[in-house]
Short mmCIF file of all heavy atoms in Angstrom, two decimals:
data_model
loop_
_atom_site.label_atom_id
_atom_site.label_comp_id
_atom_site.label_asym_id
_atom_site.label_seq_id
_atom_site.Cartn_x
_atom_site.Cartn_y
_atom_site.Cartn_z
N MET C 10 3.90 11.83 -1.32
CA MET C 10 4.82 11.88 -2.49
C MET C 10 5.85 10.75 -2.42
O MET C 10 6.18 10.13 -3.45
CB MET C 10 5.39 13.23 -2.68
CG MET C 10 6.12 13.41 -3.96
SD MET C 10 6.76 15.07 -4.12
CE MET C 10 5.64 15.69 -5.30
N ALA C 11 6.43 10.58 -1.28
CA ALA C 11 7.49 9.56 -1.11
C ALA C 11 6.92 8.13 -1.32
O ALA C 11 7.56 7.31 -2.00
CB ALA C 11 8.15 9.63 0.30
N VAL C 12 5.72 7.89 -0.82
CA VAL C 12 5.09 6.57 -1.09
C VAL C 12 4.90 6.39 -2.56
O VAL C 12 5.15 5.26 -3.07
CB VAL C 12 3.77 6.47 -0.20
CG1 VAL C 12 3.07 5.16 -0.55
CG2 VAL C 12 4.13 6.50 1.22
N ARG C 13 4.39 7.34 -3.24
CA ARG C 13 4.11 7.20 -4.67
C ARG C 13 5.36 6.96 -5.39
O ARG C 13 5.45 6.09 -6.28
CB ARG C 13 3.48 8.51 -5.18
CG ARG C 13 3.35 8.46 -6.70
CD ARG C 13 2.03 8.62 -7.33
NE ARG C 13 0.84 8.85 -6.51
CZ ARG C 13 -0.24 8.15 -6.77
NH1 ARG C 13 -0.27 7.23 -7.72
NH2 ARG C 13 -1.35 8.40 -6.07
N ALA C 14 6.48 7.71 -5.10
CA ALA C 14 7.78 7.47 -5.70
C ALA C 14 8.22 6.02 -5.52
O ALA C 14 8.72 5.35 -6.35
CB ALA C 14 8.82 8.44 -5.21
N ALA C 15 8.03 5.55 -4.28
CA ALA C 15 8.49 4.15 -3.94
C ALA C 15 7.69 3.12 -4.70
O ALA C 15 8.25 2.11 -5.18
CB ALA C 15 8.30 3.92 -2.44
N THR C 16 6.42 3.34 -4.91
CA THR C 16 5.62 2.39 -5.63
C THR C 16 5.88 2.49 -7.21
O THR C 16 5.77 1.45 -7.83
CB THR C 16 4.08 2.57 -5.39
OG1 THR C 16 3.70 3.86 -5.78
CG2 THR C 16 3.78 2.30 -3.97
N GLN C 17 6.19 3.63 -7.63
CA GLN C 17 6.49 3.76 -9.05
C GLN C 17 7.92 3.27 -9.45
O GLN C 17 8.19 2.98 -10.65
CB GLN C 17 6.33 5.17 -9.54
CG GLN C 17 4.84 5.60 -9.51
CD GLN C 17 4.69 7.13 -9.89
OE1 GLN C 17 5.63 7.86 -9.92
NE2 GLN C 17 3.44 7.47 -10.14
N HIS C 18 8.81 3.27 -8.51
CA HIS C 18 10.20 2.94 -8.80
C HIS C 18 10.68 1.85 -7.72
O HIS C 18 11.67 2.13 -7.02
CB HIS C 18 11.13 4.13 -8.75
CG HIS C 18 10.69 5.20 -9.70
ND1 HIS C 18 10.83 5.06 -11.06
CD2 HIS C 18 10.00 6.37 -9.47
CE1 HIS C 18 10.31 6.16 -11.60
NE2 HIS C 18 9.77 7.00 -10.68
N PRO C 19 9.98 0.73 -7.58
CA PRO C 19 10.42 -0.23 -6.58
C PRO C 19 11.80 -0.73 -6.64
O PRO C 19 12.37 -1.09 -5.59
CB PRO C 19 9.41 -1.35 -6.72
CG PRO C 19 8.94 -1.29 -8.13
CD PRO C 19 8.96 0.23 -8.48
N GLY C 20 12.45 -0.82 -7.77
CA GLY C 20 13.72 -1.24 -7.89
C GLY C 20 14.82 -0.20 -7.39
O GLY C 20 15.93 -0.61 -7.15
N ARG C 21 14.42 1.04 -7.30
CA ARG C 21 15.33 2.08 -6.85
C ARG C 21 15.14 2.41 -5.37
O ARG C 21 16.03 3.06 -4.83
CB ARG C 21 15.13 3.32 -7.65
CG ARG C 21 15.37 3.05 -9.14
CD ARG C 21 15.05 4.26 -10.04
NE ARG C 21 15.92 5.38 -9.67
CZ ARG C 21 15.78 6.63 -10.20
NH1 ARG C 21 14.76 6.84 -11.00
NH2 ARG C 21 16.51 7.60 -9.85
N ILE C 22 14.08 1.96 -4.74
CA ILE C 22 13.83 2.30 -3.38
C ILE C 22 13.91 1.01 -2.52
O ILE C 22 13.27 0.01 -2.80
CB ILE C 22 12.39 2.85 -3.19
CG1 ILE C 22 12.09 4.02 -4.12
CG2 ILE C 22 12.15 3.23 -1.70
CD1 ILE C 22 12.92 5.28 -3.86
N THR C 23 14.85 1.01 -1.54
CA THR C 23 15.03 -0.20 -0.71
C THR C 23 14.34 -0.04 0.59
O THR C 23 14.09 -1.08 1.26
CB THR C 23 16.53 -0.49 -0.52
OG1 THR C 23 17.09 0.71 0.09
CG2 THR C 23 17.19 -0.79 -1.82
N ALA C 24 14.03 1.14 1.07
CA ALA C 24 13.39 1.38 2.34
C ALA C 24 12.74 2.74 2.35
O ALA C 24 13.21 3.66 1.57
CB ALA C 24 14.39 1.24 3.45
N LEU C 25 11.68 2.86 3.20
CA LEU C 25 11.03 4.11 3.21
C LEU C 25 10.49 4.30 4.66
O LEU C 25 9.87 3.40 5.22
CB LEU C 25 9.86 4.13 2.26
CG LEU C 25 9.00 5.42 2.19
CD1 LEU C 25 9.86 6.61 1.69
CD2 LEU C 25 7.82 5.22 1.31
N VAL C 26 10.86 5.40 5.28
CA VAL C 26 10.40 5.69 6.62
C VAL C 26 9.62 6.98 6.58
O VAL C 26 10.10 8.02 6.23
CB VAL C 26 11.62 5.87 7.63
CG1 VAL C 26 11.09 6.23 9.03
CG2 VAL C 26 12.46 4.64 7.68
N LEU C 27 8.30 6.86 6.87
CA LEU C 27 7.46 8.07 6.94
C LEU C 27 7.51 8.64 8.34
O LEU C 27 7.19 7.92 9.30
CB LEU C 27 6.03 7.65 6.56
CG LEU C 27 5.88 6.98 5.20
CD1 LEU C 27 4.44 6.54 4.91
CD2 LEU C 27 6.40 7.95 4.13
N THR C 28 7.87 9.88 8.42
CA THR C 28 8.02 10.51 9.77
C THR C 28 6.81 11.45 10.06
O THR C 28 6.77 11.99 11.15
CB THR C 28 9.36 11.21 9.86
OG1 THR C 28 9.42 12.20 8.84
CG2 THR C 28 10.48 10.28 9.72
N ALA C 29 6.05 11.82 9.09
CA ALA C 29 4.95 12.68 9.32
C ALA C 29 3.77 12.11 8.58
O ALA C 29 3.81 11.72 7.45
CB ALA C 29 5.25 14.11 8.80
N GLY C 30 2.64 12.00 9.29
CA GLY C 30 1.42 11.54 8.71
C GLY C 30 0.50 12.67 8.19
O GLY C 30 0.94 13.81 8.02
N PHE C 31 -0.73 12.32 8.00
CA PHE C 31 -1.74 13.30 7.58
C PHE C 31 -2.21 14.14 8.76
O PHE C 31 -2.37 13.52 9.88
CB PHE C 31 -2.90 12.59 6.92
CG PHE C 31 -2.60 11.83 5.71
CD1 PHE C 31 -2.28 10.51 5.69
CD2 PHE C 31 -2.51 12.54 4.44
CE1 PHE C 31 -1.89 9.83 4.54
CE2 PHE C 31 -2.16 11.83 3.30
CZ PHE C 31 -1.89 10.57 3.35
N ALA C 32 -2.48 15.38 8.57
CA ALA C 32 -2.92 16.23 9.70
C ALA C 32 -4.28 15.73 10.17
O ALA C 32 -4.57 15.58 11.36
CB ALA C 32 -3.00 17.65 9.24
N VAL C 33 -5.16 15.37 9.20
CA VAL C 33 -6.53 14.86 9.50
C VAL C 33 -6.78 13.81 8.47
O VAL C 33 -6.70 14.10 7.25
CB VAL C 33 -7.56 16.01 9.47
CG1 VAL C 33 -8.96 15.38 9.75
CG2 VAL C 33 -7.27 17.06 10.51
N ALA C 34 -7.12 12.63 8.87
CA ALA C 34 -7.47 11.59 7.94
C ALA C 34 -8.93 11.76 7.52
O ALA C 34 -9.80 11.96 8.36
CB ALA C 34 -7.23 10.19 8.57
N ASP C 35 -9.21 11.58 6.15
CA ASP C 35 -10.56 11.56 5.75
C ASP C 35 -11.13 10.18 6.17
O ASP C 35 -10.44 9.28 6.61
CB ASP C 35 -10.64 11.81 4.27
CG ASP C 35 -10.07 10.73 3.32
OD1 ASP C 35 -10.04 9.56 3.83
OD2 ASP C 35 -9.61 11.04 2.23
N PRO C 36 -12.47 10.06 6.14
CA PRO C 36 -13.07 8.78 6.55
C PRO C 36 -12.59 7.53 5.91
O PRO C 36 -12.32 6.49 6.60
CB PRO C 36 -14.57 9.00 6.31
CG PRO C 36 -14.75 10.48 6.35
CD PRO C 36 -13.51 11.05 5.73
N VAL C 37 -12.33 7.56 4.59
CA VAL C 37 -11.88 6.40 3.89
C VAL C 37 -10.44 6.09 4.34
O VAL C 37 -10.11 4.89 4.66
CB VAL C 37 -11.85 6.61 2.36
CG1 VAL C 37 -11.21 5.45 1.61
CG2 VAL C 37 -13.29 6.80 1.90
N LEU C 38 -9.58 7.03 4.49
CA LEU C 38 -8.19 6.79 4.96
C LEU C 38 -8.24 6.24 6.41
O LEU C 38 -7.52 5.30 6.73
CB LEU C 38 -7.36 7.99 4.84
CG LEU C 38 -5.96 7.91 5.36
CD1 LEU C 38 -5.15 6.83 4.62
CD2 LEU C 38 -5.27 9.25 5.25
N SER C 39 -9.07 6.90 7.19
CA SER C 39 -9.12 6.40 8.62
C SER C 39 -9.60 4.98 8.75
O SER C 39 -8.99 4.19 9.47
CB SER C 39 -10.09 7.32 9.39
OG SER C 39 -10.20 6.96 10.74
N LEU C 40 -10.68 4.60 8.03
CA LEU C 40 -11.19 3.22 8.06
C LEU C 40 -10.10 2.25 7.48
O LEU C 40 -9.94 1.14 8.04
CB LEU C 40 -12.52 3.07 7.33
CG LEU C 40 -13.69 3.76 8.00
CD1 LEU C 40 -14.85 3.79 6.99
CD2 LEU C 40 -14.06 3.01 9.21
N THR C 41 -9.44 2.64 6.39
CA THR C 41 -8.42 1.80 5.87
C THR C 41 -7.33 1.60 6.84
O THR C 41 -6.79 0.46 7.02
CB THR C 41 -7.92 2.41 4.54
OG1 THR C 41 -8.98 2.56 3.62
CG2 THR C 41 -6.86 1.48 3.89
N ALA C 42 -6.79 2.62 7.48
CA ALA C 42 -5.77 2.53 8.42
C ALA C 42 -6.18 1.58 9.63
O ALA C 42 -5.38 0.80 10.09
CB ALA C 42 -5.38 3.91 8.94
N GLN C 43 -7.45 1.73 10.06
CA GLN C 43 -7.88 0.87 11.17
C GLN C 43 -7.89 -0.62 10.70
O GLN C 43 -7.50 -1.44 11.50
CB GLN C 43 -9.29 1.30 11.58
CG GLN C 43 -9.31 2.61 12.31
CD GLN C 43 -10.71 3.07 12.55
OE1 GLN C 43 -11.64 2.32 12.57
NE2 GLN C 43 -10.85 4.39 12.76
N LEU C 44 -8.35 -0.86 9.50
CA LEU C 44 -8.30 -2.23 8.93
C LEU C 44 -6.92 -2.80 8.85
O LEU C 44 -6.71 -3.91 9.28
CB LEU C 44 -9.07 -2.28 7.60
CG LEU C 44 -9.12 -3.56 6.85
CD1 LEU C 44 -9.80 -4.61 7.61
CD2 LEU C 44 -9.64 -3.41 5.48
N ILE C 45 -6.01 -2.02 8.25
CA ILE C 45 -4.69 -2.45 8.14
C ILE C 45 -4.02 -2.72 9.51
O ILE C 45 -3.44 -3.81 9.68
CB ILE C 45 -3.80 -1.40 7.37
CG1 ILE C 45 -4.25 -1.32 5.94
CG2 ILE C 45 -2.30 -1.74 7.43
CD1 ILE C 45 -3.76 -0.12 5.16
N ALA C 46 -4.26 -1.89 10.53
CA ALA C 46 -3.73 -2.10 11.85
C ALA C 46 -4.32 -3.37 12.44
O ALA C 46 -3.64 -4.15 13.01
CB ALA C 46 -4.03 -0.86 12.69
N PHE C 47 -5.68 -3.56 12.30
CA PHE C 47 -6.29 -4.76 12.92
C PHE C 47 -5.75 -5.99 12.31
O PHE C 47 -5.38 -6.95 12.99
CB PHE C 47 -7.80 -4.65 12.69
CG PHE C 47 -8.52 -5.87 13.11
CD1 PHE C 47 -8.79 -6.11 14.47
CD2 PHE C 47 -8.88 -6.86 12.16
CE1 PHE C 47 -9.40 -7.30 14.88
CE2 PHE C 47 -9.52 -8.08 12.61
CZ PHE C 47 -9.84 -8.31 13.91
N LEU C 48 -5.65 -6.01 10.97
CA LEU C 48 -5.12 -7.24 10.26
C LEU C 48 -3.65 -7.52 10.66
O LEU C 48 -3.28 -8.62 10.87
CB LEU C 48 -5.29 -7.09 8.77
CG LEU C 48 -6.70 -7.07 8.25
CD1 LEU C 48 -6.72 -6.65 6.77
CD2 LEU C 48 -7.36 -8.49 8.41
N GLY C 49 -2.85 -6.41 10.76
CA GLY C 49 -1.52 -6.60 11.17
C GLY C 49 -1.34 -7.16 12.60
O GLY C 49 -0.57 -8.13 12.82
N ARG C 50 -2.15 -6.67 13.51
CA ARG C 50 -2.13 -7.18 14.91
C ARG C 50 -2.62 -8.65 14.87
O ARG C 50 -2.20 -9.36 15.78
CB ARG C 50 -2.98 -6.29 15.81
CG ARG C 50 -2.35 -4.97 16.17
CD ARG C 50 -3.06 -4.31 17.32
NE ARG C 50 -4.51 -4.11 16.95
CZ ARG C 50 -5.06 -3.02 16.38
NH1 ARG C 50 -4.27 -2.11 15.96
NH2 ARG C 50 -6.32 -2.95 16.15
N SER C 51 -3.51 -8.97 14.02
CA SER C 51 -4.00 -10.37 13.95
C SER C 51 -3.05 -11.35 13.25
O SER C 51 -3.34 -12.50 13.16
CB SER C 51 -5.35 -10.40 13.23
OG SER C 51 -6.28 -9.58 13.93
N GLY C 52 -1.92 -10.83 12.72
CA GLY C 52 -1.00 -11.67 12.07
C GLY C 52 -1.26 -11.91 10.62
O GLY C 52 -0.62 -12.69 9.95
N GLU C 53 -2.30 -11.25 10.07
CA GLU C 53 -2.71 -11.35 8.67
C GLU C 53 -1.94 -10.36 7.83
O GLU C 53 -2.51 -9.44 7.25
CB GLU C 53 -4.22 -11.17 8.56
CG GLU C 53 -5.08 -12.15 9.28
CD GLU C 53 -5.01 -13.53 8.66
OE1 GLU C 53 -4.70 -13.67 7.48
OE2 GLU C 53 -5.22 -14.51 9.34
N LEU C 54 -0.63 -10.52 7.77
CA LEU C 54 0.21 -9.49 7.14
C LEU C 54 -0.01 -9.38 5.61
O LEU C 54 -0.01 -8.29 5.11
CB LEU C 54 1.64 -9.81 7.46
CG LEU C 54 2.04 -9.83 8.94
CD1 LEU C 54 3.47 -10.10 9.16
CD2 LEU C 54 1.56 -8.57 9.58
N THR C 55 -0.15 -10.53 4.96
CA THR C 55 -0.47 -10.45 3.51
C THR C 55 -1.81 -9.75 3.24
O THR C 55 -1.94 -8.94 2.35
CB THR C 55 -0.45 -11.83 2.85
OG1 THR C 55 0.86 -12.40 3.06
CG2 THR C 55 -0.67 -11.77 1.36
N THR C 56 -2.78 -10.21 4.03
CA THR C 56 -4.14 -9.49 3.92
C THR C 56 -4.03 -8.04 4.20
O THR C 56 -4.64 -7.21 3.53
CB THR C 56 -5.21 -10.19 4.80
OG1 THR C 56 -5.14 -11.61 4.45
CG2 THR C 56 -6.54 -9.62 4.59
N ALA C 57 -3.26 -7.67 5.25
CA ALA C 57 -3.03 -6.24 5.57
C ALA C 57 -2.37 -5.48 4.46
O ALA C 57 -2.61 -4.30 4.25
CB ALA C 57 -2.31 -6.09 6.85
N ALA C 58 -1.54 -6.15 3.72
CA ALA C 58 -0.70 -5.49 2.72
C ALA C 58 -1.61 -5.10 1.48
O ALA C 58 -1.30 -4.12 0.83
CB ALA C 58 0.39 -6.38 2.17
N ARG C 59 -2.67 -5.82 1.24
CA ARG C 59 -3.56 -5.50 0.15
C ARG C 59 -4.22 -4.14 0.27
O ARG C 59 -4.12 -3.35 -0.65
CB ARG C 59 -4.62 -6.62 -0.11
CG ARG C 59 -3.95 -7.91 -0.54
CD ARG C 59 -4.95 -9.00 -0.88
NE ARG C 59 -4.25 -10.20 -1.35
CZ ARG C 59 -3.61 -10.37 -2.52
NH1 ARG C 59 -3.76 -9.38 -3.43
NH2 ARG C 59 -3.04 -11.47 -2.84
N PRO C 60 -4.93 -3.79 1.34
CA PRO C 60 -5.50 -2.46 1.33
C PRO C 60 -4.36 -1.36 1.53
O PRO C 60 -4.59 -0.23 1.04
CB PRO C 60 -6.35 -2.45 2.58
CG PRO C 60 -6.04 -3.63 3.37
CD PRO C 60 -5.36 -4.58 2.43
N ALA C 61 -3.19 -1.78 2.05
CA ALA C 61 -2.12 -0.82 2.16
C ALA C 61 -1.70 -0.46 0.63
O ALA C 61 -1.43 0.70 0.37
CB ALA C 61 -0.97 -1.39 2.91
N CYS C 62 -1.62 -1.48 -0.20
CA CYS C 62 -1.25 -1.23 -1.60
C CYS C 62 -2.34 -0.32 -2.29
O CYS C 62 -1.97 0.52 -3.05
CB CYS C 62 -1.05 -2.52 -2.31
SG CYS C 62 0.35 -3.46 -1.84
N LEU C 63 -3.52 -0.63 -2.03
CA LEU C 63 -4.64 0.21 -2.58
C LEU C 63 -4.51 1.61 -2.26
O LEU C 63 -4.86 2.52 -3.07
CB LEU C 63 -5.99 -0.32 -2.19
CG LEU C 63 -6.44 -1.61 -2.78
CD1 LEU C 63 -7.79 -2.01 -2.13
CD2 LEU C 63 -6.63 -1.45 -4.31
N SER C 64 -3.97 1.90 -1.03
CA SER C 64 -3.81 3.34 -0.62
C SER C 64 -2.70 4.03 -1.38
O SER C 64 -2.64 5.24 -1.42
CB SER C 64 -3.49 3.37 0.87
OG SER C 64 -4.57 2.82 1.59
N CYS C 65 -1.81 3.25 -1.93
CA CYS C 65 -0.56 3.82 -2.62
C CYS C 65 -0.71 3.90 -4.14
O CYS C 65 0.00 4.68 -4.73
CB CYS C 65 0.64 3.04 -2.18
SG CYS C 65 0.99 3.03 -0.43
N TRP C 66 -1.53 2.95 -4.72
CA TRP C 66 -1.54 2.92 -6.12
C TRP C 66 -2.77 3.61 -6.74
O TRP C 66 -3.87 3.59 -6.16
CB TRP C 66 -1.57 1.47 -6.61
CG TRP C 66 -0.48 0.59 -6.19
CD1 TRP C 66 0.76 0.99 -5.85
CD2 TRP C 66 -0.47 -0.82 -6.03
NE1 TRP C 66 1.52 -0.10 -5.45
CE2 TRP C 66 0.82 -1.22 -5.56
CE3 TRP C 66 -1.47 -1.80 -6.29
CZ2 TRP C 66 1.17 -2.56 -5.38
CZ3 TRP C 66 -1.11 -3.14 -5.98
CH2 TRP C 66 0.16 -3.48 -5.58
N SER C 67 -2.56 4.26 -7.87
CA SER C 67 -3.67 4.84 -8.56
C SER C 67 -4.48 3.76 -9.34
O SER C 67 -3.98 2.60 -9.55
CB SER C 67 -3.20 5.87 -9.57
OG SER C 67 -2.47 5.24 -10.66
N GLN C 68 -5.68 4.08 -9.79
CA GLN C 68 -6.43 3.10 -10.58
C GLN C 68 -5.69 2.67 -11.87
O GLN C 68 -5.72 1.59 -12.26
CB GLN C 68 -7.79 3.66 -10.93
CG GLN C 68 -8.72 3.75 -9.70
CD GLN C 68 -10.13 4.25 -10.13
OE1 GLN C 68 -10.34 4.58 -11.23
NE2 GLN C 68 -10.95 4.30 -9.05
N THR C 69 -4.99 3.63 -12.46
CA THR C 69 -4.21 3.35 -13.61
C THR C 69 -3.08 2.39 -13.33
O THR C 69 -2.84 1.41 -14.06
CB THR C 69 -3.56 4.62 -14.20
OG1 THR C 69 -4.60 5.63 -14.47
CG2 THR C 69 -2.78 4.46 -15.48
N GLU C 70 -2.35 2.55 -12.23
CA GLU C 70 -1.29 1.67 -11.82
C GLU C 70 -1.82 0.28 -11.47
O GLU C 70 -1.17 -0.75 -11.75
CB GLU C 70 -0.56 2.18 -10.59
CG GLU C 70 0.21 3.43 -10.96
CD GLU C 70 0.78 4.15 -9.72
OE1 GLU C 70 0.03 4.21 -8.65
OE2 GLU C 70 1.94 4.58 -9.74
N LEU C 71 -3.07 0.14 -11.01
CA LEU C 71 -3.61 -1.10 -10.70
C LEU C 71 -4.15 -1.81 -11.92
O LEU C 71 -4.25 -3.06 -11.98
CB LEU C 71 -4.81 -1.00 -9.71
CG LEU C 71 -4.37 -0.75 -8.24
CD1 LEU C 71 -5.60 -0.35 -7.45
CD2 LEU C 71 -3.75 -1.99 -7.71
N ALA C 72 -4.45 -1.06 -13.02
CA ALA C 72 -4.96 -1.61 -14.25
C ALA C 72 -3.89 -2.22 -15.04
O ALA C 72 -4.12 -3.15 -15.91
CB ALA C 72 -5.72 -0.49 -15.06
N GLU C 73 -2.65 -1.78 -14.92
CA GLU C 73 -1.59 -2.21 -15.80
C GLU C 73 -1.02 -3.62 -15.51
O GLU C 73 -0.84 -4.42 -16.42
CB GLU C 73 -0.42 -1.19 -15.74
CG GLU C 73 -0.83 0.18 -16.37
CD GLU C 73 0.23 1.23 -16.10
OE1 GLU C 73 1.26 0.97 -15.47
OE2 GLU C 73 0.05 2.38 -16.60
N PRO C 74 -0.64 -3.93 -14.32
CA PRO C 74 0.00 -5.20 -14.00
C PRO C 74 -1.00 -6.34 -14.04
O PRO C 74 -2.19 -6.27 -13.85
CB PRO C 74 0.58 -5.05 -12.58
CG PRO C 74 -0.26 -4.03 -11.93
CD PRO C 74 -0.78 -3.11 -13.08
N SER C 75 -0.40 -7.57 -14.25
CA SER C 75 -1.15 -8.77 -14.20
C SER C 75 -1.51 -9.15 -12.73
O SER C 75 -0.95 -8.61 -11.84
CB SER C 75 -0.41 -9.96 -14.84
OG SER C 75 0.74 -10.29 -14.04
N ALA C 76 -2.37 -10.08 -12.58
CA ALA C 76 -2.67 -10.55 -11.20
C ALA C 76 -1.42 -11.07 -10.50
O ALA C 76 -1.25 -10.78 -9.28
CB ALA C 76 -3.81 -11.60 -11.23
N ALA C 77 -0.57 -11.76 -11.18
CA ALA C 77 0.63 -12.30 -10.60
C ALA C 77 1.59 -11.13 -10.18
O ALA C 77 2.23 -11.19 -9.16
CB ALA C 77 1.36 -13.24 -11.58
N GLU C 78 1.68 -10.10 -11.01
CA GLU C 78 2.50 -8.97 -10.69
C GLU C 78 1.90 -8.18 -9.46
O GLU C 78 2.68 -7.74 -8.66
CB GLU C 78 2.62 -8.00 -11.91
CG GLU C 78 3.40 -8.56 -13.05
CD GLU C 78 3.27 -7.71 -14.27
OE1 GLU C 78 2.26 -7.18 -14.56
OE2 GLU C 78 4.28 -7.67 -15.00
N ILE C 79 0.61 -8.11 -9.33
CA ILE C 79 0.02 -7.48 -8.20
C ILE C 79 0.30 -8.32 -6.97
O ILE C 79 0.65 -7.68 -5.94
CB ILE C 79 -1.54 -7.25 -8.39
CG1 ILE C 79 -1.73 -6.16 -9.44
CG2 ILE C 79 -2.20 -6.87 -7.07
CD1 ILE C 79 -3.22 -5.95 -9.79
N ASP C 80 0.17 -9.64 -7.08
CA ASP C 80 0.49 -10.46 -5.94
C ASP C 80 1.90 -10.26 -5.49
O ASP C 80 2.30 -10.29 -4.35
CB ASP C 80 0.27 -11.91 -6.27
CG ASP C 80 -1.25 -12.23 -6.26
OD1 ASP C 80 -2.09 -11.44 -5.71
OD2 ASP C 80 -1.58 -13.31 -6.83
N ALA C 81 2.84 -10.13 -6.47
CA ALA C 81 4.28 -9.91 -6.14
C ALA C 81 4.49 -8.62 -5.42
O ALA C 81 5.24 -8.48 -4.49
CB ALA C 81 5.11 -9.91 -7.41
N ARG C 82 3.78 -7.56 -5.85
CA ARG C 82 3.89 -6.24 -5.18
C ARG C 82 3.30 -6.34 -3.76
O ARG C 82 3.85 -5.75 -2.83
CB ARG C 82 3.14 -5.14 -5.99
CG ARG C 82 3.82 -4.81 -7.27
CD ARG C 82 3.05 -3.70 -7.90
NE ARG C 82 3.62 -3.38 -9.25
CZ ARG C 82 3.17 -2.43 -10.08
NH1 ARG C 82 2.13 -1.72 -9.71
NH2 ARG C 82 3.77 -2.22 -11.20
N VAL C 83 2.21 -7.11 -3.63
CA VAL C 83 1.64 -7.21 -2.24
C VAL C 83 2.68 -7.94 -1.44
O VAL C 83 2.82 -7.60 -0.20
CB VAL C 83 0.29 -8.02 -2.33
CG1 VAL C 83 -0.19 -8.49 -0.94
CG2 VAL C 83 -0.80 -7.15 -3.03
N ALA C 84 3.25 -8.98 -1.88
CA ALA C 84 4.28 -9.71 -1.12
C ALA C 84 5.42 -8.81 -0.69
O ALA C 84 5.94 -8.88 0.45
CB ALA C 84 4.78 -10.90 -1.91
N GLU C 85 5.83 -7.95 -1.59
CA GLU C 85 6.94 -7.00 -1.21
C GLU C 85 6.45 -6.01 -0.17
O GLU C 85 7.30 -5.66 0.69
CB GLU C 85 7.33 -6.18 -2.50
CG GLU C 85 8.09 -6.99 -3.55
CD GLU C 85 8.34 -6.19 -4.78
OE1 GLU C 85 7.86 -5.07 -4.91
OE2 GLU C 85 8.90 -6.83 -5.69
N THR C 86 5.25 -5.57 -0.19
CA THR C 86 4.66 -4.68 0.75
C THR C 86 4.55 -5.36 2.15
O THR C 86 4.80 -4.75 3.13
CB THR C 86 3.26 -4.20 0.29
OG1 THR C 86 3.43 -3.45 -1.03
CG2 THR C 86 2.69 -3.22 1.31
N ARG C 87 4.21 -6.64 2.11
CA ARG C 87 4.06 -7.40 3.38
C ARG C 87 5.34 -7.25 4.20
O ARG C 87 5.30 -7.03 5.33
CB ARG C 87 3.82 -8.82 3.00
CG ARG C 87 3.61 -9.65 4.21
CD ARG C 87 3.41 -11.22 3.88
NE ARG C 87 3.28 -11.93 5.03
CZ ARG C 87 4.23 -12.45 5.75
NH1 ARG C 87 5.48 -12.24 5.34
NH2 ARG C 87 4.05 -13.17 6.81
#
């Protein structure tokens, strides 16, 4: 819920610290987390930010912004 609030109100949220994760990750979440971690360790931070954003945004939220706005959100997530 906190991640969703942060993505919906980026101007009001300056930082977010998650202290509890999921009890059990479903296969999609698990694979996504592994990919993000691998890309982050490889120094591909912008590329890692893209699937991280997909995990936080709904399809509706992804349909609304322009490609430039999505790139800006990815850069903020990086």
Side-chain angles (χ1 to χ4, degrees):
M10 185 177 254
V12 172
R13 173 123 2 227
T16 59
Q17 291 178 346
H18 305 286
R21 297 174 65 189
I22 307 295
T23 58
L25 182 64
V26 176
L27 301 178
T28 58
F31 296 95
V33 177
D35 66 30
V37 173
L38 178 60
S39 180
L40 288 170
T41 302
Q43 290 172 21
L44 175 62
I45 292 167
F47 174 80
L48 291 168
R50 286 191 305 270
S51 298
E53 297 290 336
L54 301 181
T55 300
T56 304
R59 291 187 180 282
C62 289
L63 285 174
S64 299
C65 300
W66 300 338
S67 70
Q68 289 183 357
T69 303
E70 291 169 319
L71 284 169
E73 294 172 359
S75 68
E78 290 170 324
I79 289 175
D80 286 343
R82 289 184 185 180
V83 167
E85 291 172 359
T86 300
R87 182 183 178 275

